[in-house]
Structures are given as structure tokens and as C-alpha cells.
Amino acid sequence: MLFRSWAVGAVDRQWPDVATVADHVDVDHLVVTRHALVRQVLADPETYRPDNALDAMSPMPVAALRILAGYGFRLPPTLANNSGHSHPAIRAIVADALHPKRVAEQQEWLTGVVRTRVARLGADLAAGRPVDLYADLAADLPLLVLARLVDLPDTRVEVVKEFTRAALELFWAPVDAERQRTLAEIVGRFHTVLRDFAATGSGLAARLRDAGHPSDVVVGALFFLLVAGQETTSQFLTLLLHRLTAEPEVRRGLADGTVEVADVVEEGLRLEPPIVTWRRVAARDTTLGGVDVPAGRSVVLWLARAGRDPAVVAEPEEFRPGQPGSRRHLAFGAGAHRCVGAQLTRMEAAVVVAQTAPLLHGVTVVRAPWCPDNLSFRMPDALVVRKGPLLSDSDV
């Protein structure tokens, strides 16, 4: 369950509020499943610290560590893994770069880009050709938007995507030593690019430098933004579009105006979050939900399960945009470390849903997204569809 916590069987099973689960190397974790308890942990950074958020799930062999060291790889506490006094100041600078007003200013441009892509995809579908809604639509959109907001390094999209997916696998997946060496090479190589950009780059990098933050902190902030600020969003877009292919009633509601795009996005975040778990570590002996939690114990917060808590939403397994409780999901976390890019993700998803939903009428999924084992991230690899029989006579 620990590495496939997004799978239907795992999410649908009956679980205690707090369960002890061993990982692939026999390390015990406390898995928290209830919405109220997950939120309680997130709201208490003194008792449950984020220090382990970027720790590798698979202990790294010396060979992989040497590769990373050879590239000067370091990830000091910056955002997700920062429980220190520097966190508020770093977060404030990043939050300003992703301010809702600046995000809103990107909507018109992004709408134009998506419309152009959807038109091309529609032409291919009409001609009988299958299309990949991940590769041909969702994969690079968040990266393009983020680059406009924070002036990312001028690097080819495919290079950035290779790096970010390698980082997600290296730190959050159960991988063997040989694979770790391969991933360490990819991550270390791009870390050099980030380090050079941190020293001379404009935009967010310059603002962090001007505030007196050292180069390693600038690199760490850029590293996490590239992973959490774009890779997770492209994953969410893919998962949400896949969900919508099986929701003709929702698509009809979008078409006739009885379903709001924003409600679809929130229900998607509740049921198809790209980040399904997140970690904390107990700073002291405590109890949670009546369970003893010793200091140093890893606490895995099951965000995806919390979104299906019947204490929060009346129809937890149904995709019902606008239902009471839908917006209380924890897809962006909560508390001091709540995702600073939440508004950006919502804007991007709203544009993609509004422009792409009509394209999904009458399509058949040829290849559904496949997601590898990973503690926290879904990482879908494709979403191939083609024109085919309608799902029902009225699905037009």
C-alpha cells in the first residue's frame, strides 16, 4: 500500500485512523488516514516537523552519493523541508513571485496556447488519429507558465522534465542501487545548471540573492519549484482529463453551464490529487488519534484518503462537482507549509478543463495513465485517446 497509495483498492479499503505500515526496507511509518488528523498534523509544525520531506525513501548507496557529491549536490532546508526561522522569509519571496494577481495575468496567454493545441488535437482525432493528452497537451504547460513567472533557466523542456521526474523517483520511490546511480547522474547534472542560474539568473533567483540568501538556498528553492510547481501540475492535468473521459454527466454540465469549471477542478483535486501522501517526523513523544507516536517516527499523511473521508464529504467516492465538502480537500496541504502555488495550479487546471472538455466527447481511452510505485507522486506517463463509439446515446 505504501508506494501505491493512490490505487483504488488501497484507497477504498477500511483503514484505522492511524496505522503502522512498514516500507520496502522494513522501516515503520505511521500512516494517518482521517481528514481531521491529517489536518491536525499539518497545523502543528512544532510537534510534527517537515525535516524529512525530501529524505530518500530508498537508502542511497555510496556510489550514488558519490555521483551527487561530484556535482556538488545539496538540498538545504528551503521550503518543504524547512522547519527553521528562514522559512517564512524564503516563502514570502516565492509567494510574491506566484502572487494571485501575477497568476491571473497569465490566464489569457495560457488560454491561447491551450486553444491552439486543442484545435490541433481535435483535427487529429477527426482524422482518425490517436492523440496523447499528456505528451501533446499537459506535460509542458505548467513549466511554460512557471518560466514566465519566475524566469527559469533557459533549458530545453525535455531536459527539465527528465530531471524533475528523475528527482521524484530518486527521493520518493523504491528503487534499486543501479537505478539510483542512473537517477543520481541525471539529478546531479541538472543541479549544476540550477547552481549556475542561482548565481547569475534573473527573476526569482535574483530576488532571493538580493534578500541575502546564499546560493544553496536559491538552488533549493528552484529545485522544489521545478518539482512541485510544474511537474505535479502536469500530472494533475493528465489525471483530471482521464477522470473526465469517464464522466459524461459532468461534461454535459460544463457544456450547458450547470456545472462550474472551478467546481470540477476542486473535485478533481479531492479525488485525483497528484500528491497522494506527504511526510512529517515527530519531534517529540506524543499521541495522535489515541496512538502513541515516539519522537523520530516518520508520519505519512495520506492526503488522497483524507479527501475521501465521509466525515467531510457526503459522496466521497463519486465525482460530484460542487458537493458540500468538496473544497475541504488537502491536496495542497495546510498550515505554514501549504502549497504556495495552489492558485497557479487552479488557474491552469481551469483553463485546460474549459478548453479541453468538449474534445473528450465521444473519445475512447486507448492507453490510460500508468503510474509507477512512488510514495507521494502519481507520475502518469501517457493518456492516449481516439475517436470512438459514444459512451451513451446522449453523450454528445
Side-chain angles (χ1 to χ4, degrees):
M1 165 265 153
L2 199 61
F3 291 98
R4 299 189 75 80
S5 55
W6 45 265
V8 171
V11 176
D12 290 348
R13 271 180 51 195
Q14 292 298 314
W15 285 85
D17 294 354
V18 181
T20 299
V21 180
D23 65 18
H24 64 306
V25 291
D26 291 327
V27 173
D28 284 343
H29 305 263
L30 288 183
V31 178
V32 186
T33 69
R34 299 290 292 187
H35 184 281
L37 294 178
V38 171
R39 191 173 187 87
Q40 176 184 328
V41 172
L42 291 170
D44 186 359
E46 297 301 319
T47 304
Y48 304 98
R49 299 166 71 93
D51 303 19
N52 64 339
L54 274 64
D55 289 354
M57 284 299 298
S58 297
M60 288 198 199
V62 172
L65 293 172
R66 284 176 176 164
I67 291 170
L68 292 174
Y71 283 106
F73 180 88
R74 288 188 69 245
L75 274 184
T78 52
L79 292 169
N81 62 339
N82 191 351
S83 60
H85 297 301
S86 64
H87 176 255
I90 298 170
R91 179 183 171 89
I93 294 172
V94 176
D96 184 64
L98 303 180
H99 190 279
K101 182 177 183 297
R102 299 193 71 222
V103 168
E105 290 170 351
Q106 303 302 316
Q107 183 168 345
E108 182 178 357
W109 170 83
L110 179 62
T111 299
V113 172
V114 175
R115 279 178 178 166
T116 299
R117 294 186 179 189
V118 167
R120 184 173 64 248
L121 293 170
D124 285 341
L125 288 170
R129 294 186 289 269
V131 300
D132 187 341
L133 296 178
Y134 170 70
D136 299 330
L137 176 63
D140 66 339
L141 278 179
L143 178 60
L144 297 177
V145 179
L146 192 63
R148 290 167 64 92
L149 288 168
V150 303
D151 295 348
L152 292 175
D154 186 14
T155 311
R156 297 195 317 275
V157 166
E158 61 270 22
V159 173
V160 178
K161 299 298 284 189
E162 179 189 40
F163 151 69
T164 53
R165 292 179 73 89
L168 295 185
E169 187 178 353
L170 180 62
F171 292 105
W172 285 278
V175 287
D176 61 30
E178 181 178 355
R179 181 61 178 164
Q180 283 174 308
R181 291 193 295 272
T182 299
L183 296 169
E185 180 68 34
I186 297 170
V187 171
R189 191 167 60 241
F190 195 78
H191 189 271
T192 302
V193 175
L194 290 181
R195 195 165 60 248
D196 291 344
F197 184 76
T200 61
S202 57
L204 177 61
R207 288 193 286 276
L208 288 166
R209 289 197 312 269
D210 292 346
H213 295 291
S215 177
D216 279 349
V217 168
V218 181
V219 172
L222 292 170
F223 180 98
F224 194 73
L225 267 182
L226 281 168
V227 171
Q230 63 86 22
E231 185 62 41
T232 56
T233 304
S234 66
Q235 293 173 22
F236 173 57
L237 297 177
T238 305
L239 296 167
L240 179 55
L241 290 176
H242 180 234
R243 183 71 187 225
L244 287 175
T245 62
E247 299 289 347
E249 293 288 343
V250 174
R251 298 200 310 271
R252 278 195 290 271
L254 286 168
D256 65 23
T258 58
V259 172
E260 297 291 334
V261 170
D263 289 338
V264 171
V265 172
E266 297 303 323
E267 191 73 337
L269 288 164
R270 183 182 73 81
L271 280 171
E272 303 289 350
I275 301 178
V276 288
T277 72
W278 205 241
R279 278 178 288 173
R280 289 290 185 266
V281 60
R284 54 177 174 261
D285 292 346
T286 186
T287 60
L288 181 66
V291 176
D292 290 336
V293 184
R297 177 59 55 89
S298 167
V299 179
V300 177
L301 306 173
W302 198 351
L303 307 178
R305 174 78 179 185
R308 297 171 185 242
D309 191 332
V312 174
V313 63
E315 297 185 83
E317 306 302 328
E318 300 298 319
F319 196 94
R320 296 286 181 265
Q323 69 167 310
S326 178
R327 291 173 179 262
R328 293 179 60 194
H329 62 77
L330 297 171
F332 297 121
H337 288 269
R338 186 176 185 276
C339 177
V340 73
Q343 201 61 31
L344 177 59
T345 297
R346 285 181 165 119
M347 183 276 286
E348 293 170 336
V351 168
V352 169
V353 168
Q355 299 300 319
T356 311
L359 192 72
L360 303 179
H361 292 314
V363 303
T364 298
V365 175
V366 176
R367 182 181 173 191
W370 175 82
C371 301
D373 289 352
N374 196 285
L375 176 71
S376 294
F377 300 92
R378 294 283 298 273
M379 298 178 65
D381 64 336
L383 173 53
V384 181
V385 301
R386 63 170 175 80
K387 279 292 184 183
L390 298 180
L391 295 174
S392 69
D393 292 340
S394 58
D395 183 26
V396 294

